[in-house]
Amino acid sequence: MRKPRATTAKVVKYNENENVDSDLSFSQTVSSDEDIAEWRPPEKKPKAPSKTARAPAAGEKKASAKRPAKPKVPKEPKAPKVPRIPKPKAPRKPTAKRKTQASESPKDSAVSELTATKRKMTNDYFEEDKGKTQTDGPEEGNADESGTSIRMKAERVSFIVSEAHQTNKGAGEGPSQAGFGVKKKEMAEDDFTFDEPCLKKQKTSGTCQGQPTALPPNEAQSLRKELNMSWDLIELLSTLTCVEKWVCLNIVVLLREENTVPFIVRYRKDMIRHMDADAVRDVQMIYEELCALAKKTQSVIQTLKKDGFLTAELEQNLRRCRSADELDHVYSPYKKGSKLSKARRAKALGLEVAASVLMNTPNTLDLRAWVKPGTEGLSSEEEVATGVEHILADMIAKDPETLTYVKTLCENSYVTLQSSVSKSALKEKEKDKSVQGQKKPGAEQSKNKDPDKFQLYFDFNCKIQRIQPHQTLAINRGESLKILTVKVNIPDRVKSDFTWWCINNRWRTKMYAREELCAIIKNAVEDSFKRLILPFLTRSYRTKLTTAAEKESIAMFVRNLRQRLLVCPVRGCVIMGVDPGFRHGCKIAILSPTNQILHTDVAYLHNSGQQREADKLRHLMIKYSCTKVVIGNGTACRETESFFADLISRRYFDSLDVSYCITNEAGASIYSVSPEAVKEMPDLDPNLRSAVSIGRRVQDPLAELVKIDPKHLGIGTYQHDVSAGALKAALDGVVQECVSFVGVDINLCSEMLMRHVAGLNAGRARNIAEWREQNGPFNNREQLKLVKGMGPKTYQQCAGFIRINPQTLHSVKPTPQPVPAAKKGKGKTGVSIPTALNPLDQTCIHPESYHVAQRFLSIVGGSVEQIGSPGLQQCVENKVKTSSIEELARSVDTTPETLSLIIDGLTQPPGFDIRQNFGQADFKRGIVSMSDLQVGAVLTGRVDNTALFGAFVDIGVGRSGLIHKSNITLDKLPVSQRRRSLALGPGERVEVRVLNVDIQRGRIGLDLIRVLQ
């Protein structure tokens, strides 16, 4: 039930956290003030319920008319087709419905008949509430759908390119398409997140911009047969993601056809209604989770069938499960390793019939008749009554309507998560104090398990809906280290209301029952709540919180990595990369403008003989005309920076205008000893390889950072507290998106970079590199079809992201060799491939749209040789002014999206790089120390990393300062960034004010003044 949740999310009147999270500097928790700041966006939550409410009636136009209304929508029942809409009355309906029993269970047992009847009559109710409950999960903490909505919109906004570039920006710059009134297919080129915050996945019910497609009957039947579950996949997927059903259906079809996310987002935009890559990946992730759930359910059913425990009723319950948590709840009593449950032991004694008689005809039940002296469990009337109680308790705990009702009660109650310091942690602390004077043999252990790090959670209590993602992850970590004990507090009122409802409503006997029999039912209800339902609710809440927190944490990783990869390259100059060090010296690598290694050396800048080393540096700088120095931010970084700043201030490098920057060297050491580094630089010492990597990170961040496992790049927080598989999949997906949307020059890029293009992998990238070595450079995209392993599907996925640049083609062609017209083997014999250059191959236009591009050029009076020229740009602009995009699209027999993509591709300047509109590394000539900072000073800096509790900003003093998220308020952000959860990401330039400086702890507190555009 959403309404109560939406209401409580807005009410900020609980003071439990005021004293818990008071540290605004570097605490990983939030204060009540910060809670208010964090939870301000959900004030827009009326949209979420309205989305859920209109999701079932996706095709109805009336839904959009009701959209502006408040979240309370009692008038919704106007849609007679949708039985799930009347939410508010759901909990009360079971009483009336109970009387209309329809027997459908094939079992002979009366109790099975009873349970099946009760389940059948509440099926609709349960389905409704399940949908709502599942949707609530993502809503909590803004971690799934609502969070995704805010996050995704902001992601796209974060890559807006200034309007001055909109005309020339080419390949996928959304604003130019928006101006042309795009409506349909083949999205505007580098859609990704580089363009405007265009039509988002959540806003899919207003204007229908794509024609909903129906799943082919054979495909639908195949999918149903493959899953074999009670629920409909597309409907459930739409409910969980708040995306329209036809959009979910198209995404599922595209994924089943083995299309990659970058290809879908760029070239099938009309089918997904302008959703961005992260939004599509969210749908993909939930789709895969549901498929995995269906697969696990089939496995469980086969296991139970083999063991002889499977009944028609149990199978129905299993196939109805919508989450792994529900499946585990139903299956746990039957697991081989688990003890025989009390209910199963009672059923084995034959007491199931007695339980059935008690519920249906209690006046005929005589417990004494079931007594069998000498038989354990039946030796007395009390034991028989206890056995019946256990059977009823089990039935109550697994009844869908009962579970739905108790969840509704909890949602309307003040359910809290409480953590406190564990007894074992207190004992260890006492022990450490007692041996404080002695040598600490267990010093390392106590260092890894420092209870003081979790001091904020020693007495923590917060409402479930208000817990922040980083708090959940911190509490989970403390619990796993046995420092914290955690429990979910459910008010006693829930138990009393639940007991009353069960006895007087859902589990009331059909006929009058004697007092002792009523006592059995009451005991069964209380036992079921305490022993079965309460643990289930606790597990469910903890799972939801952890899942939401993990999704938010992974989203933070994703955004940080994307912005780290898309930093603008520093081209056209010689760069000196420096890996600083004390004892082993500073490793130096001088790189040419094309990333080639010109010289490597080691300089001992922090020992005696500094003058000699300074002379060596001056000689190298002058010899190679090097004006840019890149220093890694590791050990001895500050000392090395000070050394170079001193030389620059004394004009030691003669007429050279030398400047330096500090770059993140995370992962450089790991890469330097990797097989890829050995293959690329076989003759270099590993230490010198890391200096090369540091320099190249500024020359071309994308090409260099893809060589390193994303988890080693030092982005995000709580890396080891989230699912390793989910994190890897998300980060790998981001790398693929960035590489694909930026595009690669197939004749210049490395094999490592190539393997991250959509549709390619390590094997195919190796085959392309080998073909290039044997036959010379590629003249056109068609020649990719000659490469081993490049089938039609692979070619379709990767062709649009691969460039053939005529300028680089000539520079690479010193050893031209004839290119074979056909390749033998793999069924490619007799294939005729042209070898001529095609100017369209340097654009973002997909080969499947080349014929449309030619028709459009003939209409505007241009030719392919004019691609990117001012003359062609003027012709296109004039044509678009006189005719709308829709009219032009009809004239060339295509869709507006495809035509907009073609227009961007044709008007894009030669060699255009989408990254040129993003910030570069900051080079400087002087140095400021932390001791120079004063409270109130206003500085500019660049966001270095973001966490769930704030953003770390490099202000040039060797230590990043923290802008706590309570200081990142909407009024300080550009309008385009006000929908994002944290709104800042790595690489963004900001103006900040110093709030506090703690030199002893090395901490700087900052306040955000504004984001610099």
Side-chain angles (χ1 to χ4, degrees):
M1 301 296 182
R2 277 234 189 137
K3 279 188 235 173
R5 183 184 294 273
T7 305
T8 52
K10 293 180 193 172
V11 179
V12 188
K13 60 183 179 184
Y14 306 112
N15 298 321
E16 285 84 345
N17 296 335
E18 282 184 359
N19 299 324
V20 177
D21 299 295
S22 56
D23 184 3
L24 286 180
S25 317
F26 292 80
S27 151
Q28 293 181 351
T29 55
V30 288
S31 65
S32 63
D33 287 339
E34 147 200 341
D35 277 347
I36 297 170
E38 175 70 6
W39 286 84
R40 201 171 287 145
E43 304 242 80
K44 295 170 117 185
K45 263 191 187 174
K47 285 190 185 175
S50 63
K51 280 176 210 162
T52 331
R54 68 177 179 264
E60 295 182 348
K61 309 266 191 220
K62 293 183 181 179
S64 59
K66 291 186 181 183
R67 235 157 130 201
K70 284 291 197 180
K72 303 195 174 187
V73 216
K75 299 180 183 176
E76 286 266 34
K78 280 187 179 176
K81 305 180 190 177
V82 190
R84 296 187 286 169
I85 289 179
K87 308 183 197 175
K89 302 190 176 174
R92 302 282 186 243
K93 286 193 179 176
T95 323
K97 288 187 178 180
R98 263 180 99 242
K99 311 212 168 162
T100 64
Q101 295 189 10
S103 67
E104 60 165 290
S105 173
K107 283 196 80 170
D108 295 324
S109 164
V111 69
S112 299
E113 178 184 356
L114 168 72
T115 314
T117 305
K118 288 181 188 267
R119 286 201 169 112
K120 180 179 177 192
M121 69 190 187
T122 59
N123 200 17
D124 290 345
Y125 177 90
F126 176 64
E127 295 293 325
E128 170 198 10
D129 193 85
K130 271 299 183 194
K132 287 182 238 166
T133 316
Q134 291 287 353
T135 314
D136 284 347
E139 196 176 37
E140 288 179 19
N142 290 341
D144 189 14
E145 176 50 33
S146 298
T148 304
S149 167
I150 295 170
R151 185 177 71 248
M152 290 313 112
K153 291 176 180 173
E155 292 284 330
R156 181 157 290 180
V157 171
S158 68
F159 292 93
I160 290 184
V161 179
S162 64
E163 293 183 5
H165 296 286
Q166 287 180 6
T167 317
N168 299 330
K169 66 196 200 165
E173 292 313 297
S176 61
Q177 303 155 11
F180 294 146
V182 179
K183 276 193 177 176
K184 279 194 185 157
K185 203 172 181 173
E186 286 227 80
M187 83 164 237
E189 212 272 69
D190 279 315
D191 157 81
F192 180 45
T193 46
F194 302 139
D195 47 22
E196 86 283 9
C198 55
L199 311 156
K200 297 308 294 179
K201 68 172 189 174
Q202 288 78 15
K203 298 210 170 183
T204 54
S205 355
T207 56
C208 185
Q209 295 185 338
Q211 288 300 323
T213 58
L215 194 66
N218 55 344
E219 184 78 15
Q221 187 176 358
S222 167
L223 192 59
R224 258 194 310 272
K225 189 176 178 182
E226 186 180 317
L227 296 177
N228 197 13
M229 298 294 282
S230 298
W231 35 259
D232 178 76
L233 173 68
I234 305 302
E235 187 176 341
L236 182 57
L237 192 60
S238 175
T239 302
L240 296 179
T241 58
C242 292
V243 176
E244 273 190 342
K245 286 172 66 173
W246 71 269
V247 179
C248 290
L249 183 145
N250 285 341
I251 292 175
V252 169
V253 170
L254 289 167
L255 292 174
R256 286 172 67 84
E257 290 174 354
E258 299 180 358
N259 291 291
T260 60
V261 171
F263 177 82
I264 292 172
V265 169
R266 179 180 285 182
Y267 297 112
R268 296 293 181 264
K269 195 167 187 178
D270 63 316
M271 297 181 70
I272 61 171
R273 186 167 287 183
H274 301 263
M275 288 167 62
D276 62 21
D278 286 335
V280 173
R281 198 187 305 108
D282 283 345
V283 177
Q284 179 188 21
M285 183 178 68
I286 295 177
Y287 164 66
E288 288 172 354
E289 285 175 2
L290 291 175
C291 289
L293 174 65
K295 190 175 180 181
K296 186 177 179 182
T297 302
Q298 305 304 329
S299 173
V300 167
I301 288 173
Q302 291 302 320
T303 303
L304 292 174
K305 191 174 183 181
K306 184 179 176 183
D307 295 343
F309 298 133
L310 188 66
T311 64
E313 181 193 348
L314 179 58
E315 183 175 357
Q316 184 185 5
N317 291 340
L318 289 168
R319 294 195 189 282
R320 193 184 287 128
C321 294
R322 298 184 173 201
S323 68
D325 206 38
E326 287 181 38
L327 181 65
D328 187 62
H329 179 65
V330 176
Y331 175 50
S332 56
Y334 302 94
K335 287 182 180 177
K336 283 184 179 176
S338 62
K339 263 187 342 185
L340 203 62
S341 69
K342 293 180 177 180
R344 284 176 62 193
R345 283 200 294 267
K347 286 178 182 178
L349 295 172
L351 292 177
E352 191 172 9
V353 177
S356 172
V357 172
L358 171 60
M359 297 306 297
N360 291 300
T361 55
N363 57 326
T364 63
L365 179 62
D366 184 5
L367 295 179
R368 288 171 295 183
W370 293 86
V371 175
K372 292 182 182 176
T375 304
E376 187 180 354
L378 298 175
S379 58
S380 67
E381 196 173 334
E382 289 75 17
E383 288 188 357
V384 172
T386 302
V388 173
E389 285 174 11
H390 291 158
I391 292 173
L392 289 176
D394 184 65
M395 291 166 58
I396 292 167
K398 290 179 182 173
D399 178 55
E401 183 184 346
T402 304
L403 291 178
T404 298
Y405 183 77
V406 75
K407 285 178 184 176
T408 306
L409 285 176
C410 289
E411 285 172 10
N412 296 328
S413 304
Y414 193 82
V415 180
T416 62
L417 184 76
Q418 179 182 348
S419 69
S420 55
V421 62
S422 66
K423 292 180 181 178
S424 59
L426 288 173
K427 286 180 183 176
E428 280 189 27
K429 207 169 182 182
E430 298 279 339
K431 190 177 177 183
D432 287 344
K433 283 181 182 176
S434 64
V435 294
Q436 199 166 13
Q438 306 172 5
K439 187 131 180 155
K440 301 174 251 191
E444 290 184 11
Q445 183 183 356
S446 61
K447 183 180 178 182
N448 295 333
K449 194 178 172 182
D450 183 7
D452 291 335
K453 290 181 180 178
F454 299 91
Q455 193 167 6
L456 288 165
Y457 301 100
F458 282 179
D459 186 17
F460 178 83
N461 195 15
C462 181
K463 190 176 181 182
I464 287 285
Q465 286 89 344
R466 292 174 55 77
I467 291 202
Q468 305 300 304
H470 66 273
Q471 292 175 323
T472 300
L473 295 174
I475 288 170
N476 288 351
R477 183 188 290 180
E479 187 181 32
S480 66
L481 292 173
K482 296 187 172 19
I483 294 173
L484 301 175
T485 55
V486 186
K487 65 178 180 177
V488 175
N489 293 325
I490 296 177
D492 292 337
R493 186 177 62 82
V494 171
K495 180 182 176 182
S496 58
D497 289 355
F498 173 76
T499 304
W500 183 92
W501 179 81
C502 286
I503 294 172
N504 296 283
N505 189 337
R506 182 75 180 98
W507 296 93
R508 186 176 60 191
T509 57
K510 291 184 180 179
M511 305 175 71
Y512 174 76
R514 300 188 303 275
E515 188 177 343
E516 63 270 18
L517 297 182
C518 290
I520 290 176
I521 296 175
K522 183 182 178 184
N523 293 340
V525 170
E526 291 178 349
D527 177 52
S528 178
F529 183 83
K530 181 180 178 181
R531 184 168 55 88
L532 302 172
I533 293 177
L534 206 54
F536 169 71
L537 290 173
T538 300
R539 285 195 307 272
S540 179
Y541 276 121
R542 294 293 303 276
T543 302
K544 278 183 182 178
L545 286 173
T546 301
T547 303
E550 284 189 358
K551 284 181 179 176
E552 191 66 23
S553 181
I554 289 174
M556 186 71 69
F557 272 95
V558 163
R559 193 179 73 197
N560 290 353
L561 176 61
R562 180 180 290 127
Q563 296 195 235
R564 185 72 59 83
L565 292 176
L566 293 174
V567 170
C568 181
V570 176
R571 301 191 187 279
C573 62
V574 178
I575 282 183
M576 174 184 285
V578 181
D579 183 6
F582 287 117
R583 186 175 173 186
H584 299 290
C586 297
K587 280 66 69 178
I588 293 173
I590 298 181
L591 307 174
S592 72
T594 57
N595 295 351
Q596 301 303 310
I597 303 172
L598 300 178
H599 181 81
T600 58
D601 208 334
V602 178
Y604 296 89
L605 306 181
H606 312 301
N607 298 338
S608 56
Q610 287 186 344
Q611 185 59 44
R612 184 180 66 251
E613 300 301 319
D615 292 340
K616 183 201 289 186
L617 287 177
R618 179 170 61 181
H619 170 71
L620 292 175
M621 302 282 277
I622 294 173
K623 179 180 177 181
Y624 295 104
S625 300
C626 178
T627 58
K628 305 287 184 188
V629 180
V630 180
I631 304 171
N633 65 345
T635 306
C637 166
R638 294 298 293 168
E639 290 76 10
T640 306
E641 179 188 11
S642 177
F643 186 86
F644 274 96
D646 179 59
L647 295 180
I648 292 170
S649 66
R650 292 193 281 127
R651 298 187 173 276
Y652 194 73
F653 300 110
D654 298 338
S655 59
L656 291 177
D657 182 17
V658 177
S659 58
Y660 68 90
C661 76
I662 310 294
T663 193
N664 192 320
E665 67 172 34
S669 300
I670 295 173
Y671 166 70
S672 65
V673 293
S674 67
E676 288 82 7
V678 173
K679 182 180 177 182
E680 186 181 1
M681 299 172 276
D683 302 326
L684 275 187
D685 179 83
N687 293 319
L688 294 173
R689 289 180 197 144
S690 63
V692 173
S693 177
I694 288 170
R696 286 177 174 171
R697 289 181 184 207
V698 172
Q699 278 190 316
D700 192 346
L702 181 61
E704 188 62 25
L705 293 177
V706 296
K707 303 175 185 176
I708 301 163
D709 191 332
K711 69 184 180 185
H712 298 312
L713 291 178
I715 50 175
T717 52
Y718 296 100
Q719 176 173 318
H720 303 291
D721 296 289
V722 301
S723 166
L727 179 62
K728 186 178 188 314
L731 296 184
D732 289 347
V734 171
V735 173
Q736 185 187 64
E737 290 156 22
C738 290
V739 173
S740 298
F741 287 116
V742 168
V744 298
D745 187 332
I746 197 66
N747 291 318
L748 287 182
C749 70
S750 66
E751 184 183 316
M752 280 292 296
L753 184 63
M754 211 186 309
R755 67 177 60 171
H756 292 289
V757 175
L760 300 184
N761 54 26
R764 289 167 188 154
R766 186 170 56 252
N767 292 340
I768 291 174
E770 289 173 359
W771 194 97
R772 193 170 60 186
E773 289 172 10
Q774 294 169 7
N775 303 284
F778 289 88
N779 291 327
N780 55 53
R781 286 171 171 169
E782 287 288 312
Q783 288 181 328
L784 287 167
K785 295 178 179 178
L786 299 173
V787 177
K788 179 182 176 183
M790 186 69 68
K793 194 68 186 179
T794 302
Y795 177 77
Q796 180 199 39
Q797 298 300 304
C798 72
F801 305 116
I802 285 174
R803 307 281 189 272
I804 309 289
N805 193 331
Q807 286 89 10
T808 58
L809 183 62
H810 297 310
S811 65
V812 175
K813 241 183 172 170
T815 58
Q817 297 183 23
V819 180
K823 174 176 162 292
K824 303 210 170 192
K826 296 282 180 185
K828 294 191 180 181
T829 48
V831 177
S832 177
I833 300 294
T835 57
L837 287 172
N838 186 342
L840 290 172
D841 287 341
Q842 63 184 305
T843 70
C844 62
I845 303 170
H846 197 281
E848 67 186 9
S849 302
Y850 280 1
H851 63 287
V852 180
Q854 294 284 6
R855 282 202 296 268
F856 179 73
L857 282 170
S858 65
I859 289 176
V860 299
S863 65
V864 290
E865 285 74 23
Q866 294 177 286
I867 286 177
S869 67
L872 183 60
Q873 290 178 12
Q874 191 62 45
C875 290
V876 171
E877 284 179 16
N878 294 338
K879 193 67 180 175
V880 170
K881 283 177 184 175
T882 57
S883 304
S884 69
I885 282 287
E886 288 76 11
E887 290 175 12
L888 289 171
R890 282 193 294 272
S891 66
V892 294
D893 191 23
T894 189
T895 61
E897 282 87 355
T898 303
L899 185 56
S900 296
L901 174 65
I902 290 170
I903 289 173
D904 284 335
L906 295 177
T907 56
Q908 174 183 355
F912 179 81
D913 188 337
I914 187 66
R915 294 173 293 171
Q916 73 189 35
N917 297 294
F918 299 93
Q920 276 187 341
D922 288 325
F923 286 87
K924 52 187 178 179
R925 295 172 178 80
I927 185 171
V928 180
S929 67
M930 192 170 169
S931 57
D932 296 330
L933 292 179
Q934 293 183 348
V935 174
V938 175
L939 307 166
T940 59
R942 192 174 291 278
V943 177
D944 182 50
N945 195 7
T946 55
L948 296 172
F949 49 84
F952 292 95
V953 179
D954 180 5
I955 52 176
V957 297
R959 176 76 67 170
S960 293
L962 175 70
I963 307 177
H964 195 268
K965 68 176 183 178
S966 60
N967 293 322
I968 305 174
T969 54
L970 297 181
D971 57 305
K972 300 176 183 177
L973 301 172
V975 176
S976 57
Q977 289 179 258
R978 291 184 182 177
R979 298 181 208 167
R980 209 190 294 178
S981 54
L982 187 56
L984 296 178
E988 293 191 75
R989 296 189 67 242
V990 292
E991 187 175 54
V992 295
R993 179 182 291 105
V994 179
L995 292 179
N996 53 69
V997 181
D998 187 341
I999 296 177
Q1000 186 176 359
R1001 301 170 72 190
R1003 295 183 172 183
I1004 306 167
L1006 302 174
D1007 180 22
L1008 176 66
I1009 297 176
R1010 62 192 176 102
V1011 178
L1012 301 174
Q1013 297 294 323

